[in-house]
Amino acid sequence: MTITSLDDLIRSAATADQSPKLAIARSGDAFVLEAAMQAYAAGVVEPVLIGDMDATRRIAEDLGADISDLRGVHLPDDEAAVREAVRMFREGEAALIMKGAVSTSTLLKAVLDKTNGVPPQGILSHVTVFENPHSGKLMLLSDAAVNIRPNLQRKVEILRNALIVARTLGIAAPRAAVLAATEKVNYPAMPSTLDADLIARMGREGTFGDAHVAGPMALDLALSAKAAASKRFHNAVAGQADILITPDIESGNVLYKCLNTLLGLDVAGVVVGSSVPIVVPSRGDSPRSKLLSMALAVYLATRE
């Protein structure tokens, strides 16, 4: 199924005969528990609650949610809860992992643990999927949550991960813009412009397969054909980008929060690069965005 809207993610995820189990570490968080119960009601996932079960039950009662049919594991400690979530995935008791009331770094540390974690398939990176508010088409943004200041090689892997997600969603020949503050190389003042230029050269040499990769490119040129024309910037990606690759986590996180806070857009985001898609919702995400993130994780997990 080609995904052309965020609603398609929910419809696709809810078609399974049995909802995949989602291990939540830790479950004692009202924002996360509310979204998980919405996903459960929609047939997207079956939550497995890991954490302080007394607190989880109190929160569920306040929300008016019935969790009596769900499996619960009482582990109030952060590290014990994330280790249990990873163990459940490793042993087939859960198909997905979601961050609850723990830090992203604590969860990813357990996932990457060399002895008891989940072997990575490259580097981990966060991919956001959203609908362009002007055209309505799906777009991807990376990385807003995991890689703080990626070097050239990490940016290449971040792009590879985003391309995999785009193709899985049905974008056969994705157009990726490697973002910077300008479309010209300005080194050493702006090192990201040189990285973007080198990645674009790799794209032209076929490193990324059937994809158009351009950079450095300012955001307006990536999104607006009119802006690109006014600057006489001619490129197959200009005004038609499917993927936005940001220079670092700061710019990625600011852009992400502009989407969901300033523009009020719903977004779906997961951490990819491991054999398990990991849902790491932001507290500022709407309940629907959290639901969409779970649906995206289900969609990716069932098509690997």
Side-chain angles (χ1 to χ4, degrees), residues 4-7 129-134 136-139 265-266:
T4 59
S5 71
L6 293 177
D7 284 337
V129 181
F130 64 98
E131 291 176 2
N132 184 310
H134 299 293
K137 81 167 187 174
L138 287 183
M139 295 189 65
L265 297 184
D266 293 318

Side-chain angles (χ1 to χ4, degrees), residues 6 16 27 30 33 65-66 80 89 113 140 154 182 230 255:
L6 293 177
S27 55
L33 188 59
D66 182 7
F89 174 77
D113 183 86
L140 285 70
R154 278 200 169 254
T182 175
S230 70
L255 183 51

Side-chain angles (χ1 to χ4, degrees), residues 3-249:
I3 301 297
T4 59
S5 71
L6 293 177
D7 284 337
D8 285 346
L9 284 173
I10 297 175
R11 284 190 286 268
S12 176
T15 57
D17 294 335
Q18 184 174 3
S19 300
K21 290 183 170 58
L22 172 76
I24 303 175
R26 300 168 35 217
S27 55
D29 181 290
F31 295 95
V32 169
L33 188 59
E34 180 182 17
M37 295 308 293
Q38 289 180 355
Y40 182 44
V44 172
V45 296
E46 179 182 330
V48 179
L49 309 175
I50 308 168
D52 185 332
M53 291 308 299
D54 294 330
T56 299
R57 292 186 189 97
R58 287 195 298 270
I59 292 169
E61 185 175 347
D62 290 342
L63 293 172
D66 182 7
I67 63 172
S68 58
D69 291 336
L70 301 179
R71 180 182 177 186
V73 180
H74 183 68
L75 286 172
D77 178 74
D78 283 7
E79 292 187 1
V82 296
R83 284 197 301 268
E84 176 63 8
V86 173
R87 183 202 66 77
M88 285 185 177
F89 174 77
R90 285 172 59 96
E91 298 186 10
E93 297 175 28
L96 305 162
I97 295 173
M98 182 173 181
K99 183 189 84 160
V102 297
S103 68
T104 300
S105 59
T106 298
L107 177 57
L108 297 186
K109 181 180 178 181
V111 170
L112 292 172
D113 183 86
K114 292 182 179 179
T115 303
N116 299 308
V118 182
Q121 299 171 337
I123 70 157
L124 300 185
S125 60
H126 186 270
V127 176
T128 304
V129 181
F130 64 98
E131 291 176 2
N132 184 310
H134 299 293
S135 67
K137 81 167 187 174
L138 287 183
M139 295 189 65
L140 285 70
L141 165 69
S142 192
D143 179 335
V146 176
N147 293 279
I148 296 174
R149 189 168 288 121
N151 59 20
L152 174 62
Q153 185 55 42
R154 278 200 169 254
K155 289 177 182 178
V156 169
E157 296 304 318
I158 287 168
L159 174 57
R160 288 188 197 277
N161 283 350
L163 288 168
I164 290 170
V165 175
R167 289 170 177 139
T168 304
L169 293 173
I171 305 173
R175 300 171 188 261
V178 187
L179 298 179
T182 175
E183 68 278 10
K184 298 178 181 179
V185 174
N186 186 353
Y187 185 86
M190 296 181 183
S192 63
T193 60
L194 179 57
D195 287 348
D197 183 68
L198 292 172
I199 292 170
R201 291 186 193 183
M202 293 171 66
R204 290 193 294 271
E205 293 168 358
T207 300
F208 306 109
D210 192 4
H212 299 279
V213 180
M217 188 178 295
L219 180 63
D220 59 338
L221 302 185
L223 298 178
S224 169
K226 183 178 180 181
S230 70
K231 295 192 75 171
R232 298 179 181 176
F233 185 81
H234 304 292
N235 187 284
V237 178
Q240 301 185 67
D242 301 301
I243 300 171
L244 304 174
I245 301 296
T246 62
D248 53 34
I249 198 172

